[in-house]
Amino acid sequence: MRKRLSKKLDVNTEKNGGKKRNMASIKLNKVQQSAVEAINGPVLIFAGAGSGKTRVLTHKISYLIDSGNYKPENILAVTFTNKAAKEMKTRVQKLLKMKKLEMDISTFHSICARLLRSEIHHLGYSNTFAIYDVEDQTALIKIVLNNLTISKDTLTPKAARSQISYFKNKMITPVTVQQKARTKLDGMIGDVYQAYQTALKENNAADFDDLLILPLELFKHHPEILKKYQKKWKYILVDEYQDTNQPQFLFVSKLAEAHHQICVVGDDDQSIYSWRGADIKNILDFKKKFSGCSTFTLEKNYRSTQQILSAATAVVKKNKDRKPKTMESANGAGDKIGLFETVDEMEEADAIVSALEKEINLNKRTFQDFAVLYRTNAQSRALEDSFRRQGIPYTIVGGLRFYERAEVKNILAYLKFIVNMKDTVSLRRIINFPPRGIGLKTVDKCVTYAEKVKKELFEILPEGTKVGVRGKQCQSLTKFHDTIQKYNDLLKKVNAGELARSLVDEMKVLSYYKNLNTPEDNERYNNVLELLNSIDAFLKRKPEGDIREFIEEVALLTDIDNWNDETNSVTLMTLHSAKGLEFPVIFITGLEDGLLPFYNAFNDQKEMEEERRLFYVGLTRAIEKVYLLYARNRRKMGLDYAVGLASRFLKEIPVKYLENISFNSALMRKVTTSNRGKETKVKVTRSITLFDDFMVGDYVKHAIFGIGKIMALSGSGENQRVGVVFKDGLKKKLIVKYANLKKVDTPSVT
């Protein structure tokens, strides 16, 4: 669905589940107006869920410029997703009636990356540095572990990467880790951390954490650079301030030291990212850092109904570490929250389908009006199964992203290496893709020789005979080297689209997939073409853009940035991914102790408070209706079904806001308890019905899609499938057993 909050307050009308909300009458309320006009000194805005924080930020930027106090180029606005940054910029342009806005509105990572492109040479890097994603980081750590002769059984690359990221987010250096090591493993991690940082620099690369840390190094060792950007950015605004980590806090603090003109907006009740370094104290203690701070609390909610807000507030107020707020809805009381108790995760999914059908039929909703939220990605499996059976379109946010697919990453690795020929991680990835007879042993020989003669790995590839490589392998290395060198020379001579297409053609990537001719390889073939198309689309937006800029843009994309919010499908996502979004109808699944709250929070008050905030975020994504679901039994990690206890958070919602909904599954389930009494095994049997009475030409009614005509049949009995054309030409293939189709005599029957 749409990120309506960022749209709804600046337009006249907006569709909402088939209805229109009139926005013309909405103006800045008194508190919002006061927050906008406070421009002398530090400003802290506590913005409750749906309280119009984006509107306040955009109006504040407009006010700063319109008042003549600041030029656009002297304002820096920072947020957490590219999508939010783009929307914010568009809205400011509309408010100022400007076609082009020369102002920095960006994510932390993007603004830091741009700063580093200009200044990183002061730290001994080239401005062509690569940005390593998680997969690249892991690949480099594997090499480091191998060089240090550390077994994967002792320390896995994944665990090492996670630990290093934690240290960076806490601003803990390798030297500090080594000095404070208490165990052999601690010392080992410190050594890996140190070697990893050295390897990054040797590869002229930075990981995502470095994008935030390296600017701080520049500010520390080169104070003239800090002064340069303090002079450039005279007013700083930060969105979602509760999600900032230590490096982000220090970055904006350093920039604001010279003038103290900073405005931060956030909601401590929505601080849910401590696991990636976010520190709630940054917003709660803001006034300690910036004395003379003006504080505003936005408590008028323009998104949800009062029933939803009251229920959510009743839960989150159990937390001690928060700023008290009393949220008041501008949208009336609304419906009670629906509560389903189900047998297991399969029935849970069926219950969602049932409620979805009723919502569509009674309230004329479309699929994009719904979002299903869960604590862990693994919970999507049962949902997907049920949705596929019923022919319900869905989109998963946070699955394998397009740019993370192997065939796409291979082409990106080619482009990254052409830009930065010190990037040995990318070189190792592409040196034998498509296969050209260069095995791992050959690569190892090249690495050993390069280290011996103190040359870059790429430089010695034409020296096959010296390396100890003969015949076709030697020829392959030389040809590969010469081709890459040619495209490096072409970087500034041809545009990005031409270069990428020519490279893919010369390396015979497309013909490689075409010759394999499997369904999977056909898909890979199409994905490579789509990548080339995405470069063309990039050039349409940025005609002067080059390959380096394209690679950087791709590297900094998030799951939400990749999500097409205009697709008419049900959205499935984790509660963490749902932050900042809104939908008319929200389902929250898996409300059992051990899932939400997650089991590791049971003995930690801070973690329990964050789990509670996570539930609060889920509830407040809803505009009109919330359904909460829990299962008495749930299969976990492929094991037998275990007894589920309803989440303690459900007990924190006053019963007056809840409506218990009974649901009878289409599946017959027999539940038997084991002798131990600790686990419950669920045996699932399905009633068998014969469906062979359907014929081509029959008219049928579906609970969601309405009246349609059967155009094709296949299979029989439980395996019978039908191809149905519904109204507006909608075509669906359905399994008859699950679709609950009813024959009708004529298409006019409703």
Side-chain angles (χ1 to χ4, degrees):
M1 192 1 61
R2 24 271 199 212
K3 188 172 179 180
R4 279 201 186 87
L5 178 58
S6 59
K7 296 178 182 179
K8 73 182 181 181
L9 294 163
D10 289 332
V11 297
N12 292 330
T13 60
E14 183 178 330
K15 289 185 179 180
N16 171 24
K19 305 171 185 176
K20 286 188 176 181
R21 292 191 287 172
N22 188 359
M23 299 295 166
S25 61
I26 296 180
K27 298 179 180 179
L28 288 170
N29 62 42
K30 289 183 180 180
V31 182
Q32 289 175 330
Q33 189 69 45
S34 297
V36 166
E37 295 176 358
I39 62 172
N40 295 314
V43 176
L44 169 61
I45 304 173
F46 286 102
S51 62
K53 67 176 177 65
T54 305
R55 185 171 187 248
V56 170
L57 276 174
T58 53
H59 276 75
K60 193 174 186 73
I61 294 169
S62 175
Y63 184 79
L64 288 166
I65 297 169
D66 259 347
S67 64
N69 287 285
Y70 295 91
K71 296 177 180 178
E73 59 267 30
N74 295 138
I75 301 172
L76 170 65
V78 191
T79 186
F80 274 80
T81 67
N82 295 294
K83 198 165 199 167
K86 185 179 178 181
E87 286 179 9
M88 194 181 293
K89 194 165 190 173
T90 301
R91 291 176 64 184
V92 172
Q93 284 179 218
K94 286 181 179 178
L95 287 170
L96 294 170
K97 298 179 180 176
M98 298 170 65
K99 289 185 178 180
K100 192 174 181 181
L101 181 64
E102 297 294 337
M103 178 187 160
D104 290 308
I105 303 179
S106 189
T107 65
F108 273 104
H109 287 91
S110 292
I111 201 70
C112 287
R114 289 206 299 275
L115 186 153
L116 290 171
R117 291 293 176 200
S118 299
E119 312 292 350
I120 201 168
H121 61 278
H122 293 286
L123 297 176
Y125 295 77
S126 161
N127 67 358
T128 61
F129 70 88
I131 300 173
Y132 279 4
D133 62 16
V134 170
E135 189 176 338
D136 297 328
Q137 294 167 46
T138 306
L140 185 58
I141 288 173
K142 283 181 181 176
I143 296 169
V144 168
L145 290 172
N146 185 58
N147 291 341
L148 294 174
T149 62
I150 297 173
S151 166
K152 292 179 182 178
D153 295 331
T154 306
L155 181 64
T156 67
K158 185 178 178 181
R161 190 207 66 80
S162 179
Q163 192 64 54
I164 289 169
S165 182
Y166 172 82
F167 289 141
K168 289 186 178 184
N169 280 309
K170 297 296 183 182
M171 301 291 293
I172 302 171
T173 66
V175 173
T176 302
V177 175
Q178 290 168 327
Q179 288 175 344
K180 294 188 175 181
R182 293 183 179 180
T183 66
K184 187 177 179 181
L185 182 61
D186 290 343
M188 193 180 294
I189 291 172
D191 293 341
V192 172
Y193 184 7
Q194 183 68 69
Y196 169 71
Q197 287 303 112
T198 302
L200 278 174
K201 194 165 186 178
E202 289 173 349
N203 281 266
N204 192 36
D207 61 25
F208 285 113
D209 298 318
D210 286 335
L211 292 181
L212 304 175
I213 291 171
L214 292 176
L216 297 176
E217 285 192 31
L218 280 167
F219 294 166
K220 180 180 179 180
H221 299 295
H222 300 274
E224 72 281 3
I225 295 175
L226 173 59
K227 288 179 182 178
K228 173 183 173 180
Y229 288 96
Q230 287 174 337
K231 188 177 179 181
K232 175 179 172 62
W233 295 314
K234 297 176 181 178
Y235 200 101
I236 298 167
L237 303 101
V238 186
D239 191 15
E240 305 285 5
Y241 193 67
Q242 78 281 347
D243 293 331
T244 54
N245 59 21
Q246 185 72 357
Q248 290 162 336
F249 163 75
L250 289 173
F251 180 72
V252 294
S253 297
K254 289 289 182 184
L255 290 173
E257 275 180 358
H259 42 68
H260 280 227
Q261 295 293 76
I262 181 171
C263 172
V264 303
V265 184
D267 183 7
D268 51 305
D269 288 334
Q270 297 185 68
S271 179
I272 58 173
Y273 295 116
S274 68
W275 49 274
R276 67 183 189 196
D279 189 348
I280 195 172
K281 294 294 183 184
N282 287 349
I283 189 168
L284 294 176
D285 295 343
F286 181 81
K287 290 190 286 187
K288 294 180 182 178
K289 173 67 179 178
F290 293 95
S291 58
C293 170
S294 300
T295 304
F296 303 89
T297 304
L298 308 183
E299 297 176 301
K300 189 76 171 181
N301 178 287
Y302 297 96
R303 176 192 300 153
S304 308
T305 63
Q306 192 61 54
Q307 295 259 30
I308 295 170
L309 286 179
S310 297
T313 301
V315 174
V316 81
K317 74 178 185 182
K318 300 289 185 182
N319 284 352
K320 296 178 181 179
D321 217 6
R322 66 184 293 268
K323 162 79 173 175
K325 302 172 208 66
T326 303
M327 300 303 296
E328 179 186 345
S329 173
N331 300 322
D335 297 334
K336 288 186 177 184
I337 293 171
L339 179 61
F340 283 97
E341 180 189 280
T342 62
V343 173
D344 55 25
E345 70 269 25
M346 292 178 288
E347 188 174 83
E348 182 181 63
D350 292 345
I352 290 171
V353 170
S354 174
L356 191 145
E357 290 177 352
K358 289 179 181 177
E359 286 283 349
I360 287 175
N361 290 328
L362 294 175
N363 298 313
K364 309 299 179 186
R365 301 196 190 278
T366 59
F367 292 120
Q368 66 188 54
D369 290 335
F370 303 92
V372 185
L373 311 181
Y374 35 79
R375 181 63 176 81
T376 66
N377 280 304
Q379 291 169 253
S380 73
R381 194 270 311 161
L383 296 165
E384 290 184 74
D385 288 349
S386 185
F387 281 24
R388 281 196 295 264
R389 288 198 300 266
Q390 298 292 344
I392 296 172
Y394 65 90
T395 301
I396 293 183
V397 177
L400 185 63
R401 296 187 292 169
F402 174 78
Y403 294 108
E404 290 174 347
R405 294 168 182 169
E407 62 275 16
V408 174
K409 285 216 61 171
N410 288 340
I411 307 304
L412 288 173
Y414 267 109
L415 299 177
K416 285 166 70 176
F417 188 71
I418 288 167
V419 170
N420 174 24
M421 299 172 82
K422 290 185 176 182
D423 181 3
T424 60
V425 170
S426 292
L427 176 57
R428 287 169 180 265
R429 186 178 186 107
I430 62 176
I431 197 166
N432 197 42
F433 174 82
R436 50 179 68 90
I438 303 172
L440 292 175
K441 287 184 179 179
T442 300
V443 175
D444 288 340
K445 286 182 181 178
C446 292
V447 170
T448 303
Y449 182 76
E451 289 173 350
K452 181 181 176 182
V453 298
K454 294 182 169 52
K455 286 186 177 181
E456 297 291 342
L457 178 58
F458 179 72
E459 290 180 62
I460 59 92
L461 294 185
E463 303 177 23
T465 53
K466 295 180 181 178
V467 173
V469 180
R470 304 280 188 276
K472 288 184 178 180
Q473 284 187 325
C474 187
Q475 293 172 12
S476 292
L477 284 172
T478 301
K479 187 178 179 182
F480 174 79
H481 171 276
D482 294 347
T483 306
I484 295 295
Q485 187 63 61
K486 178 176 77 173
Y487 282 95
N488 177 262
D489 296 338
L490 288 171
L491 273 173
K492 295 182 180 179
K493 298 176 183 178
V494 299
N495 76 25
E498 270 184 87
L499 186 139
R501 288 180 184 277
S502 179
L503 174 68
V504 166
D505 183 58
E506 187 160 348
M507 289 300 182
K508 297 182 170 51
V509 175
L510 289 173
S511 58
Y512 169 69
Y513 288 127
K514 195 170 184 176
N515 291 336
L516 292 173
N517 200 29
T518 68
E520 294 80 12
D521 288 301
N522 289 335
E523 186 177 344
R524 294 181 183 112
Y525 178 96
N526 290 326
N527 286 337
V528 173
L529 289 178
E530 184 57 31
L531 174 64
L532 297 174
N533 291 337
S534 73
I535 297 175
D536 295 338
F538 164 78
L539 290 174
K540 281 185 180 180
R541 288 184 280 109
K542 296 182 178 179
E544 302 303 316
D546 57 24
I547 282 291
R548 180 192 59 74
E549 289 177 278
F550 172 74
I551 293 168
E552 185 169 297
E553 185 174 282
V554 167
L556 298 176
L557 286 173
T558 66
D559 291 332
I560 295 300
D561 295 324
N562 285 294
W563 172 48
N564 181 1
D565 56 3
E566 299 302 320
T567 303
N568 188 24
S569 58
V570 180
T571 299
L572 309 182
M573 64 173 77
T574 64
L575 286 152
H576 285 99
S577 297
K579 176 89 178 314
L581 304 178
E582 58 179 38
F583 301 82
V585 183
I586 289 288
F587 297 90
I588 303 179
T589 69
L591 277 162
E592 302 124 39
D593 274 356
L595 265 182
L596 189 64
F598 209 52
Y599 66 89
N600 58 3
F602 289 165
N603 298 314
D604 190 307
Q605 182 182 325
K606 287 187 176 179
E607 289 192 18
M608 183 60 72
E609 290 203 357
E610 179 148 327
E611 292 291 303
R612 192 175 278 111
R613 291 194 292 269
L614 187 59
F615 184 41
Y616 174 84
V617 166
L619 288 169
T620 55
R621 298 313 90 199
I623 297 171
E624 295 178 2
K625 186 71 180 179
V626 174
Y627 291 96
L628 306 177
L629 301 98
Y630 69 96
R632 296 194 300 273
N633 312 276
R634 187 178 299 273
R635 190 182 295 274
K636 296 178 181 177
M637 299 186 182
L639 303 175
D640 287 341
Y641 281 84
V643 175
L645 297 174
S647 170
R648 62 196 66 194
F649 296 157
L650 290 174
K651 299 173 185 176
E652 295 174 358
I653 301 176
V655 293
K656 63 182 178 181
Y657 301 128
L658 294 172
E659 176 187 10
N660 288 295
I661 302 174
S662 60
F663 172 71
N664 294 318
S665 173
L667 302 177
M668 297 171 56
R669 290 184 173 81
K670 182 182 179 182
V671 182
T672 54
T673 305
S674 68
N675 294 330
R676 289 174 290 175
K678 295 181 179 180
E679 296 181 349
T680 300
K681 295 183 179 181
V682 179
K683 296 178 181 179
V684 180
T685 58
R686 304 184 187 274
S687 55
I688 299 175
T689 310
L690 298 178
F691 305 105
D692 295 332
D693 56 337
F694 287 113
M695 299 178 63
V696 172
D698 285 348
Y699 286 98
V700 292
K701 184 180 180 182
H702 187 276
I704 295 176
F705 307 116
I707 304 295
K709 186 178 182 180
I710 294 178
M711 306 302 291
L713 282 170
S714 65
S716 61
E718 288 204 331
N719 298 317
Q720 188 175 47
R721 297 172 181 264
V722 293
V724 186
V725 177
F726 293 97
K727 59 183 178 180
D728 301 324
L730 179 66
K731 298 177 181 179
K732 287 290 179 182
K733 292 180 180 179
L734 303 170
I735 302 173
V736 175
K737 176 172 75 170
Y738 300 114
N740 195 27
L741 297 172
K742 296 178 182 178
K743 274 191 182 182
V744 296
D745 294 330
T746 67
S748 61
V749 176
T750 59

